[in-house]
Amino acid sequence: MPNHLAQAQSLYLRKHANNPIDWWYWCDEALEAARRDNKPIFLSIGYSSCHWCTVMEGEAFSDPIIADYLNTYFLPIKVDREERPDLDSIYMQALQMMTGQGGWPLNIFLTPDELIPFYGGTYFPVEPKYGRAGFLQVLQSLRKFYDQDKEKLGEITEEILGGLQKMALLNPDRTLDLAVLRKGLAYSTSIISGKNPGPSFPMIPYADAALRNTRLSLETSENTAEIAVQRGLDLALGGIFDHVAGGFHRYTVDPTWTVPHFEKMLYDNGQIMEYLANLWSLGTQSPSFARSIDRTVQWLQREMAAPAGYFYAAQDADSFLTPEDAEPEEGAFYVWRFDDLQAHLSASELQELTTQFTVTPGGNFEGANVLQRSHAEALSPTVETALEKLFVLRYGAIPSQVETFPPAPDNQTAKTHPWPGRIPAVTDTKMIVAWNSLMISGLARAAAVWGNGGYLELAAQCAQFIWMQQRQNSRLYRLNYSGQVSVPAQSEDYAFLIKALLDLHQATLAIAPDQADSWLTAAIDVQTEFDLYLWSEESGGYFNTAKDASQDLLLRERSYLDNATPSANGIAIANLVRLSLLTEHLTYRDQAEKALMAFSSILQRSPQSCPSLFAALDWFHHGTLIRTTPDGITQLAQDYLPTTVLQLTDELPTGTVALLCQGLACQEPARSWDHLWEQIRAIYSVDSIPGDP
């Protein structure tokens, strides 16, 4: 019999609807039931494409004995972290305080009255293994502890709550000089340059900070440009990229960028697209960058674009080999057995494929091959033909004949639909404003760098959908499920959307300037709403949730840590500087300074954790406005100017090409493009950084 999740809109929640556990979703009724019955809350947070979430759903959460005990002695609640990142953030921090590590599924136990955590973990097996206790044993011990040791329980909850409150209180130290910026950018550069023996993640906020570091003419022990470029090559050449059909997987399980964890997340793809476009604009014009962006846009249009204009959230890692399979297999849609390659490719095609990719009879993933490129040059026509044949095996037709490929919204559809090729992984079709905004930014930047109107149109369609459909009664909403909005927007939705609208404004100036002003107007409108509901008047910065949508939270956080996505406050502060330059309203700059002051102790104490805040600090110190002609904007938009906004003007003095304003002063009008570049380079001169030897 289905539980309370049967009618949930979230794909992740619905996956648990037929568990024997009497799952609730997070709501006042569930919280009140826990208080009334004095049941500790078992809060389990995950997301639809999470591998270990899927494993636990099929093991412990499907076990009738565990379910009976859990239903009797606890109040079980399921949360989709993609719906409620605010809850996820609070309780992930608590888990990290308790165990020193985190991850998903996030399984944590709360007191029913105050919602304070007192125990937590990630994956719990049914029986003891991997050095972990069996889940039933954990439940029995915790219920006994909850009933019999109230004094110790009180000590634990007091310590955890105190720790969370301390982390939420920011202690400004009022130091925002350029030495702090240099230190922060150097930290990010060192983080992505290290040889990590474990999995390889894109870590785009860190890579972006390293790329910013290339502008500062500093002598360092590391070649920052080489490090930044290498991250781009790892992404464009590695197995993390789907070389057959486009799109980037979430990460690789190894340090060599070879074997991915196969889910594809919209937020990764948007960020990577913007990063590769920036590398190209800096002068590293590798054919592999252009190809990976072009193929990713094809994947986006074919598999991730809803008819209404927005983009779906993610595709799972696992898929079925045949409709008869009971369980899907990881990577089945993406990998290639050598005998299949021999059967479908000509001898010359297979020979070239094995020369330009890592392809062997034994494979590199469970006897099959994940394709990883061996060079960054343009692929030969023979190899492109071979890859097209593999596309046909997967999708049933050549790319030009598969303009759209319908999503499999659940496992049942995946197994029963008459697919012309392989059975695809399930697609989570919900629309998330924050993630769509990251993709808008990626498309807009690629459009500006390559002058590609098609990329710009795709970005504009998505932004138009958000503007028209996600704003109800003058409020922005985070999610859309097949036309139904849900969950008030959170800080990342506002911040990323404002950035996307500003990026669209800049790209449109370069390609279709008569259409640009509407995007700036929209950004200002969203910023006003953001300030009204989430700005901290007392100390600056933005809370994760609106002041009228935080009643069910243990505390209100102002997140500053970068994870797979940038921190909302880092992006928001940079937006404020950009708006101050474009509108000449200094109140935006005052807000940016106040917010940076709020996080100044974090910048000093934890430079390894907040690259997006350092990007905002870069904007604050180096923010530049260049007024120029339409031709000048088109040219400058193709260059790497990460703290510059462009503005169209027809009022330049005769014989000049541009006017550069930086901070609160303008320089003399540039008489030539060489003169303008001298002015731009002077902004980042070492001599301008106080405190240097």
Side-chain angles (χ1 to χ4, degrees), residues 26-46:
W26 185 274
C27 61
D28 290 341
E29 187 179 357
L31 302 180
E32 176 55 35
R35 286 190 289 267
R36 182 188 65 239
D37 299 337
N38 190 29
K39 286 185 176 182
I41 292 171
F42 171 58
L43 176 63
S44 182
I45 303 176

Side-chain angles (χ1 to χ4, degrees), residues 66-365:
I66 288 174
D68 182 64
Y69 192 88
L70 192 58
N71 294 337
T72 302
Y73 296 105
F74 295 84
L75 196 292
I77 297 179
K78 259 289 169 194
V79 166
D80 183 341
R81 69 178 295 259
E82 295 168 359
E83 287 191 324
R84 293 295 303 267
D86 51 346
L87 288 170
D88 179 67
S89 176
I90 292 169
Y91 292 115
M92 182 59 74
Q93 286 199 60
L95 179 64
Q96 290 169 339
M97 288 172 58
M98 289 187 283
T99 68
Q101 57 188 3
W104 297 275
L106 164 55
N107 292 309
I108 201 159
F109 296 83
L110 316 179
T111 58
D113 48 355
E114 297 179 294
L115 308 179
I116 303 173
F118 61 91
Y119 186 82
T122 53
Y123 168 74
F124 290 106
V126 175
E127 302 293 339
K129 61 179 178 178
Y130 310 134
R132 302 173 185 229
F135 192 41
L136 181 60
Q137 177 186 347
V138 170
L139 294 173
Q140 292 168 337
S141 298
L142 285 174
R143 183 66 209 211
K144 181 179 179 181
F145 170 73
Y146 178 80
D147 290 333
Q148 299 181 8
D149 202 341
K150 296 295 186 182
E151 182 177 351
K152 182 65 174 177
L153 176 66
E155 292 173 358
I156 291 174
T157 54
E158 182 179 359
E159 180 182 357
I160 294 297
L161 180 59
L164 290 171
Q165 291 173 335
K166 183 177 180 180
M167 294 173 70
L169 288 175
L170 306 173
N171 299 305
D173 68 8
R174 314 197 71 76
T175 303
L176 291 174
D177 61 30
L178 283 159
V180 174
L181 173 61
R182 287 179 55 188
K183 180 181 177 182
L185 297 182
Y187 254 104
S188 291
T189 303
S190 66
I191 285 171
I192 68 162
S193 68
K195 299 299 182 182
N196 190 330
S200 300
F201 290 85
M203 300 180 71
I204 297 302
Y206 291 88
D208 174 70
L211 193 59
R212 290 172 176 274
N213 205 14
T214 63
R215 293 145 44 242
L216 302 179
S217 307
L218 305 172
E219 291 184 8
T220 66
S221 60
E222 299 169 310
N223 184 330
T224 55
E226 183 178 320
I227 291 166
V229 170
Q230 186 59 53
R231 178 50 52 105
L233 291 172
D234 289 336
L235 293 166
L237 304 181
I240 194 171
F241 180 64
D242 181 357
H243 297 279
V244 170
F248 291 87
H249 302 293
R250 195 160 75 89
Y251 67 95
T252 65
V253 299
D254 49 52
T256 57
W257 298 91
T258 303
V259 176
H261 199 36
F262 291 90
E263 67 265 51
K264 293 180 180 178
M265 314 298 293
L266 186 67
Y267 61 74
D268 282 322
N269 282 272
Q271 290 179 89
I272 292 171
M273 188 179 300
E274 183 173 7
Y275 183 68
L276 295 181
N278 281 333
L279 282 173
W280 184 280
S281 70
L282 186 61
T284 306
Q285 298 184 351
S286 167
S288 66
F289 294 168
R291 184 184 188 276
S292 59
I293 285 180
D294 184 65
R295 294 301 189 277
T296 296
V297 173
Q298 291 180 28
W299 162 76
L300 194 68
Q301 293 177 294
R302 183 180 60 246
E303 302 177 45
M304 298 293 284
Y310 63 86
F311 302 118
Y312 303 138
Q315 292 177 324
D316 284 1
D318 307 338
S319 57
F320 295 97
L321 281 172
T322 71
E324 291 74 33
D325 290 341
E327 297 292 336
E329 292 189 17
E330 185 175 3
F333 192 59
Y334 300 104
V335 299
W336 308 97
R337 297 198 173 275
F338 195 78
D339 54 357
D340 288 334
L341 299 177
Q342 287 179 311
H344 294 93
L345 302 181
S346 69
S348 61
E349 290 166 350
L350 181 57
Q351 174 61 35
E352 284 223 34
L353 191 70
T354 57
T355 299
Q356 300 188 39
F357 286 86
T358 54
V359 176
T360 64
N364 52 23
F365 175 71

Side-chain angles (χ1 to χ4, degrees), residues 560 562 567 569-570 573 596 599 602-603 610-617:
Y560 53 83
D562 289 82
S567 79
N569 271 291
I573 296 168
L596 283 168
F599 296 107
I602 302 300
L603 291 163
C610 51
S612 291
L613 281 179
F614 284 105
L617 186 60

